């Protein structure tokens, strides 16, 4: 009997191992939808790069939806008859763009994670409403760099991103939130504009929550490749957790660089990093942050090991 019992044990162990392999192989990839189409940054080059970096992990299936471009404005200094022509043309353009915008209906609810690389005109009301519904019902959302400049007057969006910049944001939009030199979080409601940055440079990211799945194993301080260091963002800043900061020479504050936000049943990851279609988004630290945040949002955990070439306290590291 003994040898048979042993065989059965081996058999069961093999079945379990095979089942595990099959489950992994068949496990559905995390579905991700990028939204772009308008941005004061080179979105047309940035989105494909970030998409490829995500797909390389083998964890994600990434789609992209691109909004209509901004409608052209009529030229200035026209004489009277030119003005009439321009008005006619403007009316035609308005109709064409209305049709395009009516067709722009991102199927948010089909995706595990939405990523915004969009900074432009307000989305049509139905799109705003469907996005709010998606998020309130448990949607997952990543905000990269200038996507936090978008929609200054859309309150629910600003609640999702926690903090935003530019677009006329002021104290009316909420406090500045940052760390002081003592390592305390400050919520500062003093009057002033939201959103600013100095010249691009490489800067140190300081991990404040090292036990979070996104930051786990990262060096406490790591050098992010050349980027725009956003400072003085402000917004509703509700249900917000700051995972990492960077010291701004301009604001003299430790500005949030990785933020998680709860919104209804939804969950958001916001990073103001990622300005340039170049070093900023080639930074292995940025790519790791992006990929880990997407996995964490979708599954609640991170299985991606920290890359061996992750930046150190003194050395930036660029992906090839
Ligand atoms: Zn920028």
């Amino acid at each position: 009997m003994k040898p048979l019992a042993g065989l059965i044990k081996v058999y069961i162990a093999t079945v379990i191992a095979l089942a595990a392999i099959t489950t992994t192989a068949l496990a559905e990839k995390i579905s991700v939808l990028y939204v772009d189409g308008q941005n004061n940054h080179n979105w047309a080059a940035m989105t494909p790069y970030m998409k490829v970096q995500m797909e390389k992990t083998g964890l994600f299936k990434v789609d992209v939806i691109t909004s209509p471009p901004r409608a052209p404005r009529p030229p200035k200094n026209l004489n009277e008859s030119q003005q009439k022509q321009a008005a006619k043309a403007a009316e035609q353009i308005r109709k064409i763009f209305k049709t395009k915008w009516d067709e722009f209906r991102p199927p948010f609810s089909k995706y595990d994670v939405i990523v915004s690389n969009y900074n432009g005109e307000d989305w049509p009301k139905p799109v705003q409403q469907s996005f709010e519904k998606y998020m309130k019902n448990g949607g997952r959302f990543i905000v990269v760099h200038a996507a936090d400049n978008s929609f200054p007057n859309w309150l629910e969006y600003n609640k999702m991103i926690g903090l935003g910049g530019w677009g006329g944001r002021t104290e009316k939009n909420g406090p500045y939130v940052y760390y002081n030199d003592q390592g305390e979080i400050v919520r500062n409601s003093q009057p002033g504009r939201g959103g600013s940055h100095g010249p691009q440079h490489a800067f140190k990211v300081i991990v404040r929550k090292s036990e979070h799945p996104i930051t786990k194993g990262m060096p406490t301080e790591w050098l992010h490749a050349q980027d725009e260091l956003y400072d003085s963002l402000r917004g509703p800043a509700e249900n917000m957790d700051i995972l990492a900061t960077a010291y701004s020479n301009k604001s003299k504050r430790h500005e949030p660089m990785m933020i998680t936000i709860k919104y209804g049943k939804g969950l958001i990851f916001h990073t103001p990093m990622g300005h340039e279609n170049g070093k900023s988004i080639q930074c292995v630290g940025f790519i790791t942050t992006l990929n880990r945040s997407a996995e964490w949002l979708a599954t609640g955990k991170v299985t991606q090991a920290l890359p061996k070439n992750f930046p150190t306290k003194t050395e930036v590291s660029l992906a090839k």
Side-chain angles (χ1 to χ4, degrees), residues 249-282:
N249 290 319
K250 198 171 176 200
S251 67
K252 310 289 181 206
R253 297 165 179 169
H254 298 267
E255 301 287 351
M257 287 294 124
M258 296 185 205
I259 313 169
T260 64
I261 305 110
K262 284 185 192 145
Y263 175 82
K265 290 179 193 158
L267 206 51
I268 297 98
F269 180 79
H270 173 180
T271 179
M273 295 188 280
H275 161 78
E276 192 192 12
N277 178 45
K279 289 176 184 169
S280 316
I281 61 170
Q282 280 171 15

Side-chain angles (χ1 to χ4, degrees), residues 40-41 145-146 197 227-228 230 275-276:
N40 56 334
H41 296 71
H145 195 60
H197 63 75
D227 205 336
E228 247 170 23
Y230 273 8
H275 161 78
E276 192 192 12

Side-chain angles (χ1 to χ4, degrees), residues 16-286:
I16 289 169
L18 278 174
I21 289 165
T22 316
T23 313
T24 312
L26 292 181
E28 269 191 41
K29 289 188 179 180
I30 297 164
S31 58
V32 179
L33 179 67
Y34 273 73
V35 186
D36 64 14
Q38 292 190 20
N39 204 317
N40 56 334
H41 296 71
N42 188 0
W43 60 267
M46 293 168 81
T47 300
Y49 183 82
M50 292 190 281
K51 177 181 191 286
V52 166
Q53 296 305 324
M54 278 193 154
E55 287 170 340
K56 272 186 188 168
T57 64
L59 293 171
F60 307 103
K61 186 189 175 302
V62 184
D63 292 335
V64 180
I65 185 164
T66 299
S67 78
R70 199 178 272 279
R73 293 200 179 96
K76 286 173 184 165
N77 304 321
L78 303 176
N79 66 33
E80 204 171 318
S81 84
Q82 285 169 330
Q83 277 178 23
K84 273 183 189 163
Q85 279 182 315
K88 259 188 199 168
E91 181 53 23
Q92 277 179 323
I93 287 170
R94 199 193 61 77
K95 275 184 191 156
I96 293 165
F97 275 82
K98 181 172 184 317
T99 310
K100 285 178 186 281
W101 277 110
D102 285 347
E103 288 163 6
F104 176 73
R105 294 291 181 270
F108 299 119
S109 60
K110 287 189 182 157
Y111 289 88
D112 297 319
V113 182
I114 309 298
V115 184
S116 177
N117 188 23
Y118 182 93
N119 175 20
E121 291 173 293
D122 285 352
W123 290 342
K125 267 274 142 30
V127 178
Q128 295 188 3
Q129 284 162 354
S130 93
F131 191 55
E132 284 176 23
K133 192 175 160 201
Y134 166 79
M135 289 307 298
K136 278 180 181 152
N137 291 339
R140 301 291 188 258
F141 182 38
I142 297 176
V143 184
V144 176
H145 195 60
D148 72 16
N149 298 190
S150 268
F151 314 136
N153 303 314
W154 179 9
L155 178 62
E156 298 306 309
Y157 181 79
N158 284 276
K159 286 182 183 171
M160 294 175 205
I161 66 175
L163 300 170
W166 294 272
R169 284 174 170 88
T170 66
E171 61 278 8
K172 292 190 198 93
N173 296 77
Y176 300 116
V177 182
Y178 50 90
Y179 270 70
N180 64 16
D181 287 338
Q182 286 70 48
E184 299 155 340
I185 296 174
V186 180
R187 296 172 69 89
N188 179 339
S189 295
Q190 77 182 52
R193 56 170 284 181
S196 160
H197 63 75
Q200 292 176 43
H201 64 296
F203 55 81
K204 237 188 287 173
V205 172
I206 301 174
V207 175
R208 301 285 179 172
K209 303 275 166 73
S210 54
E211 287 308 305
H212 194 281
I214 295 173
T215 52
K216 198 153 189 159
M218 286 183 184
T220 314
E221 297 183 9
W222 55 268
L223 197 59
H224 176 41
Q226 179 178 306
D227 205 336
E228 247 170 23
L229 200 170
Y230 273 8
D231 67 78
S232 311
L233 299 177
R234 60 192 318 166
E238 295 162 0
N239 309 312
M240 207 173 85
D241 196 16
I242 299 170
L243 306 184
T245 59
Y247 184 75
S248 164
N249 290 319
K250 198 171 176 200
S251 67
K252 310 289 181 206
R253 297 165 179 169
H254 298 267
E255 301 287 351
M257 287 294 124
M258 296 185 205
I259 313 169
T260 64
I261 305 110
K262 284 185 192 145
Y263 175 82
K265 290 179 193 158
L267 206 51
I268 297 98
F269 180 79
H270 173 180
T271 179
M273 295 188 280
H275 161 78
E276 192 192 12
N277 178 45
K279 289 176 184 169
S280 316
I281 61 170
Q282 280 171 15
C283 169
V284 174
F286 173 81

